[in-house]
Amino acid sequence: MHAEQLKDLIVNALEDVKAKDISVVDVRDRTSVTDFMVLASGTSNRHVKSLADSVVLDAKEKGVRVNSVEGGGGSDWILVDMGDVVVHLMLPATREFYDLERFWRDAPDVEAEGSE
């Protein structure tokens, strides 16, 4: 699956479980580590975990390999590494504190349909 398709699959999986403030950042011209970073917020630790579970389940159903998942059920930040796309799922306070978008301000934002 191409990076663009994987990004879309992830955004759809997040929208299905009501992720908040979905942001997609195109980092292809900025790093060789990944093509896209997807950031989203959950309303509780349990919601953040369900966001990660949804992304992993949808990816596996499409035959996409998930490299790793960092963080767990009680975490306020879970990272899902899918190679071409890295997903950061956080509580709003954690997302605001670390402000990952700040590091990529000059990278183009990719519109995530339906994100709030």
Side-chain angles (χ1 to χ4, degrees), residues 18-55:
K18 309 295 186 212
K20 304 293 182 194
D21 301 319
I22 300 170
S23 175
V24 179
V25 182
D26 182 343
V27 295
R28 289 177 284 197
D29 294 337
R30 313 274 186 293
T31 181
S32 61
V33 174
T34 191
D35 291 340
F36 295 98
M37 285 191 348
V38 177
L39 297 99
S41 298
T43 57
S44 66
N45 297 78
R46 181 179 247 164
H47 189 213
V48 170
K49 173 74 168 116
S50 73
L51 296 174
D53 290 345
S54 178
V55 167

Side-chain angles (χ1 to χ4, degrees), residues 85-111:
V85 181
V86 174
V87 186
H88 296 273
L89 306 165
M90 301 176 224
L91 291 177
T94 305
R95 187 169 174 182
E96 183 178 340
F97 180 79
Y98 288 101
D99 196 15
L100 294 181
E101 287 99 338
R102 171 178 45 98
F103 293 116
W104 304 102
R105 275 206 182 116
D106 61 340
D109 278 331
V110 177
E111 200 61 37

Side-chain angles (χ1 to χ4, degrees), residues 9-21:
L9 179 129
I10 291 165
V11 169
N12 289 333
L14 292 171
E15 290 174 344
D16 286 347
V17 287
K18 309 295 186 212
K20 304 293 182 194
D21 301 319

